[in-house]
Amino acid sequence: ASAWQFRDAQDSNIKLTEKNISPGPDKYQDSTRAELSGCYGIACALYFINMLTPLRPSCITLTCDSTSAFEKILTSSIRKPHYDIASSIKSLFAEIPLVKIKLHHVDGHQDRYTSYSQLDMWAKENYWCDLEAGQYRDLKSKQNYDSSALPLFGTPWTIWVNEILVLDDLHDVIDEAVQESNAITYWRKHKHASHSLKDVNLPAITSAYKSLPFSRRTWSTKLASDWAPTNKNMKRWRLGPTEKCPFCGKPKDVLHMQTCSHHEPSSYCRSKLRDLPLKLMKLHTSPPAVTALLEGLRKVWNKVPQISSYFIER
């Protein structure tokens, strides 16, 4: 929700205050969208005033406490969240070309560290608008008001996936909608348990991938996609004589490379696992994360001892 007001530059007693609900699904509601909703209310009011009585050339100062909201109004790129309401605001302002809009940022919540009486005009009005917006939001919440289907002026198109309006992360959402079915089919074929692309933490994977040397990036990709030259794959590609592990005789795939029960590879894996906590701690990994990681690896290598003793309260 937002609250906004018109105020005469010369006479502070001449002002008009109004409130509105931020349009769009609940999942997209945040402080930036609330500020944009206030700007949208002002733009709508100016548009309809101009329809009734054409406005003369003038300048209006549009003030809010969100630089992010101003950035989105100026760009209104579909690559940015809240592109719909930002585009609508620009469309409304374009309908009143004789009115020049000047953007002015005011720091929010100055009353937390400055006496109200010492605040300037902008900060005081921002304080009251925030207060009224909060009260209006609470009122509408009690009424179970649904703002998801509220129309916006001048929005030429929108994107919906499974009857859900998409307002940010357009590329990720479209990729998921187009590729998810094929990806899940591939994962299940290769015995991966993911049920949705949302199960995959792509930002974390990207960050980890970029931290690797180039040679290891290629190897990690092959392991993750089951294109590594394991005995099983080499036999399938007709490049090797057998798919069996030379130690235990079982088919050697990527998983078997990490879980072979024979003492020679198992001893090597356990020795590396013993060194892992110290390496992780040198990288400033939090102890709970290290513990969780090692416990997961211990389940893979059954004979690895309990690791809770790695961390001692000090």
Side-chain angles (χ1 to χ4, degrees):
S2 65
W4 47 272
Q5 86 172 209
F6 285 117
R7 176 169 178 161
D8 187 274
Q10 307 299 326
D11 189 345
S12 61
N13 294 317
I14 302 177
K15 54 185 175 181
L16 169 66
T17 303
E18 193 50 82
K19 301 173 285 291
N20 61 333
I21 289 292
S22 301
D26 289 342
K27 64 177 292 187
Y28 297 113
Q29 301 299 339
D30 58 20
S31 59
T32 299
R33 194 167 183 86
E35 294 294 333
L36 284 169
S37 297
C39 297
Y40 177 71
I42 291 173
C44 285
L46 289 173
Y47 172 77
F48 287 112
I49 291 172
N50 186 63
M51 286 183 62
L52 295 172
T53 305
L55 296 172
R56 293 176 295 178
S58 56
C59 179
I60 292 179
T61 302
L62 179 63
T63 304
C64 81
D65 59 16
S66 172
T67 54
S68 178
F70 282 158
E71 176 188 349
K72 288 173 173 53
I73 293 173
L74 292 173
T75 60
S76 62
S77 169
I78 64 170
R79 295 178 180 271
K80 303 289 186 179
H82 313 303
Y83 73 90
D84 60 326
I85 192 169
S87 300
S88 186
I89 293 170
K90 289 190 71 171
S91 298
L92 286 163
F93 285 151
E95 295 292 326
I96 45 175
L98 296 182
V99 177
K100 181 181 178 181
I101 306 298
K102 178 183 177 182
L103 303 181
H104 175 78
H105 175 257
V106 57
D107 290 334
H109 308 292
Q110 294 185 43
D111 56 291
R112 293 178 179 176
Y113 50 85
T114 304
S115 170
Y116 178 82
S117 60
Q118 295 179 333
L119 298 178
D120 62 18
M121 176 189 71
W122 301 112
K124 287 181 179 178
E125 297 302 339
N126 185 71
Y127 167 81
W128 285 110
C129 284
D130 282 347
L131 187 64
E132 292 199 29
Q135 293 173 347
Y136 192 61
R137 180 189 62 243
D138 294 341
L139 173 63
K140 290 300 181 180
S141 296
K142 293 178 181 178
Q143 297 174 349
N144 295 319
Y145 188 82
D146 182 13
S147 63
S148 60
L150 289 176
L152 287 170
F153 174 88
T155 304
W157 53 268
T158 53
I159 294 178
W160 297 73
V161 176
N162 297 326
E163 300 183 357
I164 298 176
L165 177 63
V166 180
L167 298 180
D168 63 4
D169 299 327
L170 294 184
H171 293 81
D172 292 341
V173 173
I174 293 173
D175 281 345
E176 181 172 340
V178 174
Q179 305 289 349
E180 183 172 35
S181 178
N182 291 336
I184 293 175
T185 300
Y186 177 86
W187 291 338
R188 288 175 179 171
K189 179 180 177 181
H190 292 80
K191 300 181 180 180
H192 295 294
S194 296
H195 300 290
S196 167
L197 291 181
K198 294 179 181 178
D199 296 339
V200 182
N201 190 334
L202 293 177
I205 292 175
T206 301
S207 177
Y209 186 78
K210 289 182 177 180
S211 69
L212 296 173
F214 181 78
S215 59
R216 290 187 63 189
R217 293 184 191 182
T218 304
W219 182 245
S220 298
T221 302
K222 289 181 177 181
L223 286 175
S225 59
D226 195 24
W227 279 93
T230 60
N231 285 1
K232 185 174 181 179
N233 282 340
M234 295 296 283
K235 173 68 174 178
R236 179 163 61 93
W237 298 332
R238 300 180 182 180
L239 297 174
T242 179
E243 67 174 14
K244 293 183 179 180
C245 172
F247 297 105
C248 67
K250 295 180 180 179
K252 184 179 180 182
D253 56 13
V254 171
L255 180 61
H256 184 79
M257 288 172 58
Q258 305 172 63
T259 59
C260 181
S261 59
H262 193 274
H263 67 87
E264 289 190 33
S266 296
S267 299
Y268 175 78
C269 290
R270 286 198 297 273
S271 68
K272 290 297 182 181
L273 191 60
R274 281 192 292 269
D275 297 336
L276 183 59
L278 182 59
K279 292 183 177 180
L280 291 174
M281 296 302 286
K282 286 182 178 180
L283 294 172
H284 306 291
T285 307
S286 67
V290 177
T291 300
L293 176 61
L294 293 176
E295 286 179 347
L297 292 174
R298 179 175 58 80
K299 292 178 181 178
V300 176
W301 291 296
N302 296 324
K303 297 182 180 180
V304 176
Q306 295 285 339
I307 51 76
S308 57
S309 59
Y310 281 121
F311 303 107
I312 301 175
E313 295 290 339
R314 295 180 180 180

